[in-house]
Amino acid sequence: MATDAAATTKFQNHADFRPDFHPEKISSTTSFDGLHFWQYMISGSIAGLVEHMAMFPVDTVKTHMQAIGSCPIKSVSVTHVLNSLLKSEGPAALYRGVAAMALGAGPAHAVHFSFYEVCKKHLSRDNPNSSIAHAVSGVCATIASDAVFTPMDMVKQRLQLGSDSVYKGVWDCVKRVGREEGFGAFYASYRTTVLMNAPFTAVYFTIYEAAKKGLMEISPDSVNDERWVVHATAGAAAGALAAAVTTPLDVVKTQLQCQGVCGCDRFKSGSIGDVIKAIVQKDGYRGLMRGWIPRMLFHSPAAAISWSTYEASKSFFQKLNSNSNSDNVT
């Protein structure tokens, strides 16, 4: 018994001893989140709303650049698109469709981040730094969140392109699309969106986790997993590269979602191949990279904003849970 007591005391004095350690609370990193599922959802929802609200004007420019034949802009220059929008309708044109974005982004990001955390926890239990686990978790989260966001994303892009004479608002767009094109129109781009976002997310989360780990290894004394600058820097690098790689599929998605609006072509089928052929015939292969600059300009800071906001929200809930547990103990 004396030996056991001495061994226990020696173990407790070890630098790595954690009396509050609970295996079931391990997230896929070395941190111990201990958050409830609904807290992940709220954190993700806040992060999504802040990200998209901050970067919405850039997204509007990208949508106009990718929609071939969109009125009144046919140029692919970022500055030309921006100037044309400001001259034709003023700054308000940059925020057309923002209500649809808010309705879709909040719930979609709640699903995305919560699914990511849960999948990451289960898939990387034995290896917290597994790139495969991070990538697969990201893909699973994307498939689930895209099912939530795609209908409102379609409405958002149509409102971004159209003037008041086309759609009077979110509800008018929803009613007219449902009546004139059927329910399937809301998910016309879902397959393309998943095919785009699956590799995007796989690249994104793999680079994000690797960059975060690399930053901590470079300067372990001044950088730690809880500092927002780590999440912001890693997220920005991951967002920029993933956005560039997946731009062609994003162009296809925009074409499918904006069919018949402001001169955009209608497609007999939702075939990705048919859309790619139409783009190449009209604008050559460079047409598949329409909007890559604003897409990178969107996703790099957006990723930094999203992750830093998400981690800040998680930190708030961790402190809230810690204070609650302390009160229960006393």
Side-chain angles (χ1 to χ4, degrees), residues 153-170:
D153 189 46
M154 183 275 291
V155 173
K156 179 209 71 173
Q157 288 201 307
R158 292 196 178 203
L159 291 175
Q160 284 176 321
L161 291 181
S163 61
D164 290 336
S165 60
V166 181
Y167 298 113
K168 297 179 181 179
V170 175

Side-chain angles (χ1 to χ4, degrees), residues 171-256:
W171 183 236
D172 180 59
C173 182
V174 171
K175 288 192 297 183
R176 288 182 55 183
V177 170
R179 182 175 64 249
E180 297 170 7
E181 302 176 45
F183 179 78
F186 292 102
Y187 283 93
S189 69
Y190 179 66
R191 180 175 56 181
T192 305
T193 301
V194 171
L195 289 176
M196 173 188 70
N197 283 341
F200 175 94
T201 308
V203 171
Y204 177 89
F205 279 112
T206 301
I207 295 176
Y208 170 76
E209 297 288 354
K212 189 170 69 171
K213 180 183 177 183
L215 288 171
M216 294 170 65
E217 290 178 350
I218 291 173
S219 182
D221 295 331
S222 60
V223 179
N224 61 70
D225 187 52
E226 301 305 320
R227 292 188 60 181
W228 71 268
V229 69
V230 174
H231 301 290
T233 304
L241 183 57
V245 171
T246 57
T247 293
L249 285 172
D250 190 52
V251 176
V252 173
K253 183 204 75 170
T254 298
Q255 287 288 301
L256 286 171

Side-chain angles (χ1 to χ4, degrees), residues 57-85 94 157 160-161 247-248 250-252 254-255 258 264 279 282-283 286-298:
V58 181
D59 184 64
T60 298
V61 172
K62 184 212 71 168
T63 298
H64 276 272
M65 291 179 69
Q66 291 182 340
I68 298 174
S70 62
C71 58
I73 301 162
K74 294 185 179 180
S75 171
V76 294
S77 166
V78 174
T79 54
H80 184 84
V81 170
L82 182 59
N83 290 333
S84 296
L85 283 170
L94 297 174
Q157 288 201 307
Q160 284 176 321
L161 291 181
T247 293
D250 190 52
V251 176
V252 173
T254 298
Q255 287 288 301
C258 299
C264 291
I279 293 171
K282 279 195 170 185
D283 201 36
R286 67 175 183 173
L288 295 173
M289 291 302 294
R290 278 179 177 263
W292 72 271
I293 293 177
R295 180 167 164 78
M296 287 186 66
L297 291 175
F298 175 93

Side-chain angles (χ1 to χ4, degrees), residues 235-278:
L241 183 57
V245 171
T246 57
T247 293
L249 285 172
D250 190 52
V251 176
V252 173
K253 183 204 75 170
T254 298
Q255 287 288 301
L256 286 171
Q257 293 191 156
C258 299
Q259 297 181 63
V261 179
C262 286
C264 291
D265 293 332
R266 285 195 176 276
F267 302 96
K268 295 180 179 179
S269 68
S271 168
I272 296 174
D274 290 344
V275 179
I276 291 176
K277 288 179 182 178

